Amino acid sequence: MASEDEFALPGEDTKTPDPDKDEDELGEEAEGKTAEELTDDAEALKKELDKIVVHPPTIQELTAQEFDPAEFPASYKDNLPKENLVLQYAENFRLQYVHLYRDRKPLLLNPINECGTEKFVCTTIRPTQIEFKEFYGWEGSAEFVADYLNFETLEPPYELPKRLISPPSVLKRQKGNCFEYSTLLCSLLAGAGYDSYVVSGYATHETCLADESREICPLMKKKEEKKEEEKKKEIKKYTVKPPRDLRSKFELKQAAKEKAEKEAEEEKRRKEEEDKIAELEKPPPDPLYGLRIHSWVLVLSGKREVPESFFIEPFTGLSHPVNSPNYLGIESVWNHVNYWVNMQDCSEGVKGLTYDLGDCTKWEYMFPSIDKPLKIPGEDGFEDFEDEEKSSLSQIDEDEDEENDAKKLEHLDMPPSWVEIIKLSLKDFQMRCPHGKKVKLYKRAKLEKFAHYLMKDGLISKLSIYENRELTDLVTVKEYFAHRIDKLLQRVSNHRSGWVTEHFDPGRSHCLKEHQYKSSAPGPENERTMIFYNEARVDGLIKRVETPAEMMEEYSDRDDFLYYKHIDFGKRPKKFGPQDGSSSKNERPIVKMVKKFNRNVSKPACDDVAELIYLVSEDKMQITYHTEDPRIAASTREFVKPANWAEKGATLQFSPDMQQAFQVDASSRQNKQVELYQMLLNLLKSEDLCRTRVRDSEDEVKDILNERTKEETTLELDISVYDTERNEKAKKHRRELERQQLEEKMRKQDMEIDYLAPFIARIVQGDKITREEAYTLKTEALKDLKDRLINKANLIQARYEKETQMLTEKQAWYHQNQLSCNKEDEEKYMTFCQETLFKIHMLELRLARHKETAPHKYMALDRRLRDDQRLAEYF
């Protein structure tokens, strides 16, 4: 809600030292005394103000409208001589086509544009390269067109559209039919360097209506894994021969045969189930099958390293092979250079069609062009016009033909596009969808897309997977995020199992990469799995798996060669009596700790520890060493802790029966008692350190969970300092500084104002105020305040009537011109009406408040004059 100062009336000077400044102070004094009785003068002032009455206006509703030709340049409304010539050629081409092929549907050649002017379809394509990097690839352009626009169906679906709107107008309207979709997408692809064409043909009912309810969501399709070719093992001359396979070949053959039969039965059963499901999900028969007109985009191979040609469906932004069953036939294709008519049989849809546009027997062109080298049928197949191996007699004739063709080409080349350059602002590009939201329904799935920064939690897309086609039995929800300060990238919630998996980008504290937990038990000491960015951690932790009774950690690239740690916890003992406030008393008791190490080649295998087990509950420690190459068993050693091992500073007693060892090599050197004693001390220190690391791991889990809880409670998005539109903190701070500066300036001005100064300078003659002068000062001050209060009310009323008159005139203008108003005029009219009604409402409230507070301001000034030290002795 704006403040009243935003609607200051003319004549209200708030910066000069004028008595008007004290009205605010008088108003503050009057607010607390509204219940007191009014004096006669104040009652008279109130009656005068009550005579001022205002009546709120009404607003008309908007109606449908068309494009306003005045908003478009001359190229939209008029044709150049060259364009008129091309239209004549197109009409001549159409007449010949209708005469030769009476059984074929008409071609889309020269529909009218948004200004009602006939334009050739090739000139409607305007190749444009958008400055955003997402438009450099066809995937980004197709996805943007599919998300940014809302589609309109052709009415009727078996007839070509009579109007084709230019791509900039389509972007502005954010809606269009399939031909307008394809024209816009072809313009973007041609600007990015693709060999793209608009296709006019026929498609299935689902394709024409963008019905993807029988299609699998693209986000659910598994990416094809590239199978690496197995490298053939090089057979060396002195390689040891493998041992002979002593298994029965007959039994192996029978087992393989039985396995193949089982796999064949399983495959047959699976195929039958799929066929049964496909038959049940098969769409109902379409009475207009093969007659529904549709348009899509063709991208030919060659340019931009496209390996093979493919189709792009503009409604969905997905690619399809050129033999896709979704498309049932092609009538013509065109780009910004030429127009081609398909001469091939489409009785089997688009299957088997070739897209060599230079082949005159399969594609009839409208304009001779060097973009696609033309081919003519010859005795031995096709001969290129540019073939240098020609006879000397035919060379003369062909030179003459080339001269004639060159003269024709001067008049038959394509005129430049009449369409303005396609422009896309950063705000519109980031909005992506109409009003920032779009919902798509797929087979057992629903995909919701959101513009960046639209949702408070940074949600940009949400995929809901269901068990049934009615989308009622929810199974899994996948949420994708962007611009989160907590680096959350994706959250997958399984409503069946209750598991929640969160994925994070690098940059978080603790280097968390993935967190999997149960939604029913999100707290510590429950089932969870954490995966970390081990390259960014000092300890090299890769993974941590926790359950109420266990904890497992995996490491990599550590200096101590540790790669695995496993801890078993016991049940907490029950305590009776008052609870101790210390948190260490409530820790889970550790029963067993296991550590595994990789091979350290700098040590002999008999001294390199492979596994270290701390049996805490049994006061034992077991060591398993790495196995030497020629051995099949590993050396082991077991220590029993001394009885006083837990006493600090105590001297530990060691005896030979406190350790047991198994040496694989009996001839190896035996350890001395001193060495064994020192080994025991090191193991005790290692156990204490391992226990400390376990408690640190538990604390780290708690810290991560507390941090995640705080992040989900106070959601914040990462906004760049260069994003001036969204950086609310910077804008709020700037407005706060401006407000403080204005308040400080107003306070200084108020301190310097003396309410009686203008009257004293005009009335008082001497140094001291006399009785007559005091009464005159009081009368003049009250009269001046009364006049200004009445004038202020009149000014508010005049401003109110002025705004009402402007609104009435604007409504009358719209009533006369509503048929010629475009979308921008409609938005301007709505904005004007909303702002004017807001101002009128504010003026009405201000007048009512002024009427209520004016009498009390009058009495407050009267009391203030009586209490003034310069006039107090006379009243």
Side-chain angles (χ1 to χ4, degrees), residues 254-402:
Q254 291 297 111
K257 184 178 179 180
E258 185 179 353
K259 183 179 179 182
E261 290 177 354
K262 289 183 179 179
E263 290 179 353
E265 289 181 10
E266 183 68 22
E267 181 67 20
K268 183 179 179 181
R269 186 185 61 80
R270 186 181 60 82
K271 190 174 181 180
E272 289 177 354
E273 290 181 357
E274 290 179 355
D275 293 341
K276 186 177 179 180
I277 294 174
E279 186 66 26
L280 293 175
E281 296 178 351
K282 189 176 180 180
D286 182 16
L288 297 178
Y289 183 81
L291 299 177
R292 295 183 181 273
I293 294 177
H294 189 59
S295 177
W296 61 97
V297 176
L298 167 65
V299 179
L300 294 182
S301 59
K303 293 184 178 180
R304 288 295 306 272
E305 299 181 357
V306 176
E308 58 182 6
S309 304
F310 61 93
F311 292 144
I312 299 178
E313 174 54 45
F315 283 166
T316 62
L318 302 178
S319 63
H320 297 274
V322 291
N323 58 352
S324 173
N326 296 332
Y327 305 109
L328 307 177
I330 295 177
E331 288 287 353
S332 59
V333 300
W334 65 86
N335 62 1
H336 60 288
V337 176
N338 209 337
Y339 192 99
W340 292 267
V341 180
N342 181 30
M343 309 303 295
Q344 303 173 75
D345 182 21
C346 295
S347 58
E348 297 183 1
V350 296
K351 185 178 180 180
L353 297 185
T354 61
Y355 298 94
D356 184 6
L357 300 181
D359 189 348
C360 300
T361 61
K362 297 181 179 179
W363 295 94
E364 183 66 34
Y365 61 87
M366 180 175 291
F367 299 97
S369 173
I370 60 174
D371 184 59
K372 297 291 179 182
L374 303 179
K375 296 180 180 180
I376 59 173
E379 297 179 357
D380 300 328
F382 289 96
E383 297 177 355
D384 200 324
F385 276 135
E386 300 176 356
D387 190 2
E388 297 180 358
E389 298 178 358
K390 297 184 178 70
S391 63
S392 59
L393 294 176
S394 61
Q395 184 68 34
I396 299 174
D397 296 336
E398 297 216 353
D399 290 341
E400 293 177 357
D401 293 339
E402 288 178 1

Side-chain angles (χ1 to χ4, degrees), residues 243-258:
R244 293 182 60 184
D245 189 0
L246 301 179
R247 294 177 296 176
S248 172
K249 293 183 180 180
F250 177 77
E251 291 179 355
L252 293 175
K253 186 177 179 181
Q254 291 297 111
K257 184 178 179 180
E258 185 179 353

Side-chain angles (χ1 to χ4, degrees), residues 32 80 137 139 163 189 275 437 489 525 535 694 714 776:
L80 298 174
E139 298 92 342
R163 185 177 72 171
L189 295 178
D275 293 341
K437 299 179 181 179
L489 184 64
E525 300 181 9
E535 301 89 354
V694 171
T714 59
T776 305

Side-chain angles (χ1 to χ4, degrees), residues 107-137:
L107 301 175
L108 183 64
L109 292 173
N110 51 350
I112 62 173
N113 63 359
E114 50 264 51
C115 296
T117 307
E118 283 191 8
K119 294 290 183 179
F120 189 48
V121 289
C122 294
T123 60
T124 308
I125 299 176
R126 179 61 185 264
T128 306
Q129 185 175 6
I130 306 298
E131 62 268 22
F132 305 112
K133 63 180 181 180
E134 287 79 1
F135 288 90
Y136 186 68

Side-chain angles (χ1 to χ4, degrees), residues 4 136 159 256 272 412 461 465 497 588 632 694 765 852:
E4 293 184 4
Y136 186 68
E159 289 186 6
E272 289 177 354
L412 294 175
S461 62
I465 304 174
S497 62
R588 291 180 293 178
I632 60 174
V694 171
Q765 300 295 332
E852 182 182 357

